[in-house]
């Protein structure tokens, strides 16, 4: 691996498929329309500051309309014990021309793919929940194969995956490898990230507080990356939505900047991620926060040769490293 620090950026591109079980979509029209507007603005900033990134995209967004969606339902779909988590149950209940703008975005996918340095990865086809009771390896394989199939129709070959809601399942990584996906985003090492499905208030509070106060190291060396059936690239920091409290907003940005400083000086990796819809409530302020981060990246690039990489590029660098584990 080249002796440089790297900032890796990944975005979980979902629109309604990522939040249908926790929001009332009928009250969110402006939110999702703003999300669609803000994506080209993010791309403009990435182009200007030469930022490479991975857009882990829910496969259902590749459909043109509801007719396509119906035709692309896999033969074997997950049977979650909690039926409200099923994108198929939900989708069947909202079919209309009005909801298509919440659920499909093939032209945005094309736009992202056309920008240099932007990798289209997968976020599974249906925003698949690998940690939920009622699903299994066969369901996951069918889901991922469907996402890959729709990607190929756009001449896209997925090399990177982000597990929805960070529900990484180690026993599913062999399926990823078989299907050509060699990079996955994993969770930070911190104890409060080990059980991401828990409703324990202490864990959830710790994850929130971590965005503002030093709760452990968030940068890491390439040799610390776990390599099994896939290259597990640890997330460092979730770029939280803009806070109403100015002090908290400043603390959040200060944490990110200080972590970038550490990674650049120590030639380490820093992986920043968020959802495009996180910019849906306060788009101008969100873009300004992103601009602040990218301008600081530019300074670190000039001073320490801090580099930008998407997930597939980082995976390639890791494999080229003399210390690469050939067991993968």
């Amino acid at each position: 691996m080249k002796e440089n620090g790297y900032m890796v950026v990944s975005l979980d591109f979902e629109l309604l498929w990522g939040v249908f079980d926790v929001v009332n979509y009928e009250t969110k029209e402006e939110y999702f329309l703003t999300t669609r507007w803000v994506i080209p603005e993010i791309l403009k900033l990435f182009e200007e500051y030469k930022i490479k990134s991975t857009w882990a995209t829910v496969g259902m967004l590749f459909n043109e309309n509801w007719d396509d969606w119906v035709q692309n339902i896999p033969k074997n779909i997950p049977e979650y014990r909690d039926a409200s988590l099923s994108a198929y149950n939900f989708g069947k209940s909202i079919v209309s021309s009005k909801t298509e703008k919440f659920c499909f975005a093939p032209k945005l996918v094309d736009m992202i793919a056309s920008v240099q340095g932007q990798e289209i990865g997968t976020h599974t086809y249906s925003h698949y929940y690998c940690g939920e009771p009622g699903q299994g390896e066969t369901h996951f394989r069918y889901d991922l194969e469907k996402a890959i199939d729709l990607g190929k129709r756009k001449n896209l070959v997925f090399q990177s995956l982000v597990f929805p809601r960070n529900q990484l399942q180690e026993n599913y990584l062999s399926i990823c490898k078989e299907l050509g996906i060699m990079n996955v985003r994993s969770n930070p090492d911190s104890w409060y990230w080990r059980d991401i499905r828990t409703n324990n208030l202490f864990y959830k509070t710790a994850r929130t507080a971590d965005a503002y106060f030093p709760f452990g190291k968030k940068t890491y060396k390439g040799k610390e990356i776990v390599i099994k059936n896939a290259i597990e690239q640890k997330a460092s920091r979730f770029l939280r939505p803009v806070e109403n409290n100015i002090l908290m907003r400043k603390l959040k940005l200060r944490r990110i900047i200080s972590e970038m400083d550490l990674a650049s000086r120590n030639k380490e990796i820093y992986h920043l991620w968020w959802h495009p819809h996180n910019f849906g409530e306060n788009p101008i302020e969100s873009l300004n926060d992103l601009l602040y981060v990218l301008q600081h990246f530019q300074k670190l690039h000039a001073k320490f040769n801090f580099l930008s990489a998407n997930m597939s590029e980082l995976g390639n660098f890791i494999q080229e490293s003399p210390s690469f584990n050939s067991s993968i």
Side-chain angles (χ1 to χ4, degrees):
M1 185 174 178
K2 297 177 183 179
E3 287 299 320
N4 293 97
Y6 290 89
M7 184 168 82
V8 179
V9 172
S10 61
L11 299 94
D12 300 2
F13 183 21
E14 308 166 343
L15 293 182
L16 183 54
W17 298 117
V19 293
F20 66 82
D21 59 318
V22 293
V23 303
N24 178 359
Y25 76 92
E26 294 177 328
T27 67
K28 289 288 188 177
E29 180 173 5
E30 183 178 355
Y31 178 76
F32 287 112
L33 290 177
T34 302
T35 300
R36 298 181 74 104
W37 171 83
V38 84
I39 288 172
E41 300 303 312
I42 293 173
L43 289 171
K44 288 176 186 176
L45 288 176
F46 284 176
E47 280 192 289
E48 181 178 354
Y49 290 91
K50 296 180 173 56
I51 299 298
K52 301 173 181 179
S53 68
T54 295
W55 296 70
T57 305
V58 170
M60 286 184 175
L61 294 177
F62 282 64
N63 292 298
E64 293 284 346
N65 50 43
W66 285 112
D67 288 339
D68 275 357
W69 182 83
V70 170
Q71 291 179 7
N72 282 317
I73 294 176
K75 294 179 181 179
N76 197 320
I77 63 176
E79 300 174 355
Y80 302 122
R81 187 179 300 168
D82 181 355
S84 69
L85 296 176
S86 171
Y88 303 101
N89 292 343
F90 176 74
K92 290 173 184 176
S93 73
I94 66 163
V95 173
S96 76
S97 58
K98 181 179 179 180
T99 56
E100 289 182 347
K101 58 183 173 289
F102 303 151
C103 299
F104 311 121
K107 288 184 174 58
L108 281 175
V109 173
D110 293 341
M111 178 186 294
I112 294 165
S114 72
V115 176
Q116 186 174 6
Q118 307 310 302
E119 174 194 15
I120 301 292
T122 184
H123 204 30
T124 72
Y125 180 67
S126 64
H127 204 255
Y128 187 101
Y129 300 124
C130 296
E132 296 296 333
Q135 58 77 42
E137 292 184 22
T138 300
H139 302 120
F140 178 72
R141 181 184 293 275
Y142 270 88
D143 183 277
L144 200 50
E145 287 177 340
K146 177 57 67 174
I148 290 169
D149 177 56
L150 265 66
K152 287 179 177 177
R153 298 181 197 184
K154 289 184 174 289
N155 297 315
L156 297 170
V157 177
F158 299 141
Q159 299 180 55
S160 305
L161 175 145
V162 172
F163 286 89
R165 302 218 172 140
N166 301 306
Q167 293 183 8
L168 188 154
Q169 291 291 324
E170 293 285 346
N171 56 317
Y172 287 7
L173 295 183
S174 60
I175 298 173
C176 295
K177 181 183 178 182
E178 288 174 32
L179 297 177
I181 295 169
M182 298 304 295
N183 307 286
V184 300
R185 193 181 73 208
S186 60
N187 297 321
D189 285 335
S190 307
W191 57 268
Y192 42 88
W193 277 101
R194 288 174 191 158
D195 184 2
I196 45 82
R197 293 182 65 244
T198 183
N199 288 319
N200 184 291
L201 183 60
F202 185 59
Y203 279 69
K204 293 171 75 173
T205 301
R207 285 199 291 267
T208 300
D210 177 55
Y212 308 102
F213 306 102
F215 264 33
K217 192 170 180 286
K218 294 298 184 292
T219 62
Y220 57 94
K221 300 282 188 183
K223 64 183 180 181
E224 297 176 47
I225 290 179
V226 175
I227 304 173
K228 294 179 182 176
N229 282 299
I231 301 170
E232 299 182 32
Q233 302 183 20
K234 290 184 288 188
S236 300
R237 173 68 56 207
F238 170 51
L239 178 59
R240 296 181 65 85
V242 170
E243 296 84 353
N244 293 324
N245 184 302
I246 293 178
L247 175 61
M248 299 302 284
R249 183 178 173 190
K250 288 182 177 178
L251 284 173
K252 173 189 71 180
L253 291 173
R254 186 183 300 171
R255 290 281 289 134
I256 292 171
I257 296 305
S258 66
E259 290 163 349
M260 291 170 64
D261 288 344
L262 184 65
S264 64
R265 289 193 178 95
N266 294 341
K267 295 180 169 39
E268 294 182 320
I269 299 163
Y270 185 65
H271 191 145
L272 186 68
W273 71 278
W274 69 95
H275 311 86
H277 66 245
N278 295 139
F279 286 18
E281 294 285 0
N282 299 287
I284 303 304
E285 294 87 346
S286 297
L287 289 168
N288 285 337
D289 284 358
L290 179 59
L291 175 61
Y292 180 72
V293 170
L294 300 188
Q295 287 176 334
H296 192 70
F297 166 81
Q298 192 174 57
K299 294 175 184 176
L300 295 176
H301 172 69
K303 186 174 183 180
F304 299 104
N305 199 27
F306 196 39
L307 300 178
S308 172
N310 57 42
M311 288 177 62
S312 65
E313 285 183 322
L314 184 66
N316 290 337
F317 295 153
I318 294 296
Q319 293 186 63
E320 292 167 2
S321 169
S323 61
F324 170 64
N325 185 340
S326 62
S327 65
I328 185 171

